Amino acid sequence: MNNLVIICAILLLVLLFLKVPVYIAVLSASAVYFIGTPGMNLSIFAQKTISGAEGLSLLAIPFFVCAGIFMNYTGVTKRIMNCCEVLTARMPGGLAQVNILLSTLMGGLSGSSLADAAMQCKMLVPTMESKGYSKSFSTVITAASGMVVPLIPPGVGLIIYGCINNISIGKLFIAGIGPGIVLCVTLMIFTHFLSKKRGYLPSRTTKIPVSEKIAAVRPAFLPLLLPIIIIGGVRIGVFTASEAGTVAIVYAVLLGLLYKELTLKNVMQGCKETVTTTASIMLIVAAATCFSWILTKEQIPQQFSQWMISNIHNKYVFLIMVNIFLLIVGMFIEGNASMIVLAPLLHPVAMAYGIDDIHFAMVYIFNCTIGAFTPPMGTLMFVSCGITKCPTKDFIKEAVPFYILFAIDIIVLTYIPQLTTFLVNVFY
C-alpha cells in the first residue's frame, strides 16, 4: 500500500475524531494525496469532487428532505401521533409505545433519525415526564425509536449507500421495510415488559370503541399512504427513486392545502431548511467521491479484499468481524461518515464472499444506527440528551438493556438474510 495513502487515512481519522466537519476532513485527506503525488494534476481533485455531486440518483436527497420538512409543517406529525396514541393506549408504557410507533410511521416521511429524535424529544418527553416516566427512560426510548428511521424508506442513509456502491435505491427502499419492522416490534415487546416491571401503566384501561379508533386512523390515512405510493410507483416504473422525491413534495403540499395548515411563510421556511440540510449532505457526498476515486486508483479495495479472503475462509466469520468492527467504529464516528470511508472497502469483500449486496447493505446501515445510539460519540444520544437535559451518565445506565436488545437484533438480521431480501425478491 502506498505510504501516502496511509498518511491520508490517518489524517482523515484524526480529523474525524477531533470533530472536524466530515466534508472538510475528507477533502483535507484527499488534498494531501493530490499535493503529495508527483505529476498529479490538481485539476483532477476539483473535477472528481464536483462530479461527485452530479449523480442523477442524488436528486432524491433534496427532494425527500424537502418532503419530510413540509410534512412537519402540514400537521401530519400531529395526526399520526394522535393515531398512535389510540392504537397503543391499552399497552403498558402507553406513551413509550407511542414514541416507538410514531418513529416507525414517521420514518417513511422524514427520513432523518436526528430530525425525528429532536422532534419527539420536544413533543413527547415532557408529556412522558408529567405522566411519571423518568427523564432518562423517556430520553433513551426516544433515541432508540429514532434508530428505526434510517431503515424505513426513504432514509437518506439508504440513498447515500446506494449511490456510493452503485446499488438500486428502489431495492434498498423495499429491503429496509423488514429490518425496520423487526426493530420496531422488538422494541415494543421489550418496552412492554420493562414498563410492566416499572409500573408504567397504559394510558387507558377501558376498551376503546371501534368508532374512536376509526376516527383516529382516518386523519392519518392519507399521510401514511406516501411510502406505499413511493415504493409502488418505483416498482411498477411510473417514476424513478429520484422522481419519487418530487412526487413526495407534491403530495406533502396537497396535504398541507387539504388540512389548511401550510402557509406561504411555512413554505419559505421549509425551502430554507431544505437548502441548508441538503448542502451539508451533498458536501459530504462530493468529498467522499473524490476520496473513493483515490482508493480505487490505488487498488485499496482489491488489496483489502484479497487479504480478507486469504485469511478468513468463512463468510459467517467475516460477518461477525464486520459487525464487531462497525460497532466499535460507530462509537466514535458518525454513521454517514463511516459509510463514506468504509463501505467502498467492505462492500466488494462481501461480494467476493457471495453475500447478497442488498442484505449486506442493510447489515451495514443497521450497524450505523446502533453506533448513533452508543457512547461515547453517538449522535442520537447527544441530540436527545441535549434537548431533554438528561445527563449522559444517566442515559448510558438506562440504555444498557437496550444495547443487549440491539445486539440480538443485529445477530438475527445478519444471519437471517430473508428479513431483508424476501420483499425485494417478491417485488423484483
Side-chain angles (χ1 to χ4, degrees):
M1 185 184 295
N2 190 331
N3 290 334
L4 184 58
V5 176
I6 296 175
I7 293 172
C8 293
I10 293 173
L11 174 63
L12 172 60
L13 293 175
V14 169
L15 292 176
L16 289 174
F17 276 114
L18 293 175
K19 291 297 196 177
V20 173
V22 174
Y23 76 94
I24 293 178
V26 178
L27 283 178
S28 299
S30 301
V32 168
Y33 174 84
F34 279 93
I35 294 171
T37 303
M40 180 67 74
N41 190 339
L42 289 178
S43 64
I44 298 177
F45 174 62
Q47 291 171 0
K48 294 300 177 183
T49 303
I50 294 172
S51 66
E54 293 179 343
L56 287 177
S57 57
L58 292 173
L59 285 172
I61 294 176
F63 291 151
F64 281 119
V65 167
C66 181
I69 291 171
F70 278 3
M71 285 289 184
N72 287 333
Y73 283 117
T74 57
V76 166
T77 304
K78 178 177 64 179
R79 287 170 171 80
I80 294 179
M81 187 173 76
N82 292 338
C83 173
C84 294
E85 285 180 347
V86 172
L87 294 179
T88 63
R90 299 186 67 193
M91 297 181 183
L95 285 176
Q97 304 286 13
V98 170
N99 210 322
I100 299 166
L101 190 57
L102 179 61
S103 286
T104 304
L105 297 179
M106 285 299 297
L109 307 179
S110 68
S112 168
S113 59
L114 296 182
D116 180 87
M119 173 191 70
Q120 292 189 197
C121 280
K122 296 174 184 176
M123 291 177 58
L124 284 173
V125 172
T127 306
M128 291 178 71
E129 289 187 68
S130 67
K131 298 292 184 180
Y133 295 79
S134 69
K135 182 186 291 289
S136 57
F137 175 79
S138 303
T139 306
V140 166
I141 201 67
T142 303
S145 65
M147 291 172 55
V148 182
V149 177
L151 303 171
I152 298 291
V156 172
L158 298 171
I159 300 171
I160 294 176
Y161 191 98
C163 292
I164 291 174
N165 295 293
N166 196 28
I167 300 177
S168 166
I169 295 174
K171 288 185 178 181
L172 287 177
F173 280 177
I174 294 174
I177 296 173
I181 292 174
V182 168
L183 182 55
C184 171
V185 170
T186 54
L187 262 177
M188 292 185 76
I189 293 173
F190 180 79
T191 302
H192 172 92
F193 290 105
L194 189 62
S195 298
K196 287 187 72 173
K197 181 180 178 181
R198 298 190 179 183
Y200 296 147
L201 302 176
S203 303
R204 294 171 62 172
T205 55
T206 57
K207 186 176 181 179
I208 301 173
V210 175
S211 58
E212 186 177 343
K213 292 181 180 179
I214 294 175
V217 172
R218 188 183 293 118
F221 178 74
L222 289 178
L224 294 178
L225 281 180
L226 179 58
I228 299 174
I229 293 172
I230 291 172
I231 293 173
V234 171
R235 176 60 192 95
I236 64 177
V238 176
F239 41 73
T240 65
S242 300
E243 294 165 346
T246 62
V247 174
I249 293 175
V250 172
Y251 194 70
V253 171
L254 290 176
L255 288 179
L257 296 176
L258 177 65
Y259 298 148
K260 298 179 181 179
E261 293 192 31
L262 186 65
T263 64
L264 181 61
K265 181 181 178 181
N266 289 341
V267 171
M268 298 303 294
Q269 182 64 26
C271 291
K272 180 181 177 181
E273 291 180 26
T274 300
V275 170
T276 55
T277 303
T278 302
S280 64
I281 295 172
M282 296 304 289
L283 282 170
I284 294 173
V285 173
T289 303
C290 181
F291 193 74
S292 296
W293 180 84
I294 294 172
L295 295 177
T296 303
K297 180 179 180 299
E298 294 292 333
Q299 295 192 326
I300 304 301
Q302 294 89 330
Q303 295 176 31
F304 185 67
S305 177
Q306 290 174 4
W307 181 87
M308 291 286 287
I309 293 172
S310 62
N311 288 276
I312 302 174
H313 305 289
N314 187 298
K315 69 178 182 180
Y316 300 107
V317 176
F318 165 75
L319 287 170
I320 291 174
M321 292 186 63
V322 166
N323 281 331
I324 295 172
F325 175 65
L326 291 178
L327 288 174
I328 294 172
V329 169
M331 293 180 184
F332 301 95
I333 300 177
E334 193 269 332
N336 287 335
S338 73
M339 186 185 300
I340 287 163
V341 177
L342 297 174
L345 289 175
L346 295 173
H347 179 79
V349 181
M351 299 307 96
Y353 279 104
I355 299 170
D356 185 88
D357 57 349
I358 299 293
H359 175 227
F360 186 75
M362 298 314 304
V363 170
Y364 194 108
I365 294 169
F366 197 18
N367 272 294
C368 289
T369 65
I370 296 175
F373 184 77
T374 310
M377 296 184 181
T379 50
L380 271 175
M381 178 183 71
F382 278 121
V383 167
S384 301
C385 288
I387 294 174
T388 65
K389 308 303 180 187
C390 174
T392 305
K393 61 180 179 62
D394 293 345
F395 180 99
I396 295 172
K397 182 180 178 181
E398 184 71 53
V400 170
F402 289 87
Y403 297 139
I404 298 172
L405 173 67
F406 298 146
I408 296 171
D409 283 340
I410 191 61
I411 291 172
V412 170
L413 179 64
T414 299
Y415 294 109
I416 307 180
Q418 290 79 10
L419 290 172
T420 58
T421 59
F422 174 75
L423 285 178
V424 177
N425 293 334
V426 168
F427 277 84
Y428 283 88

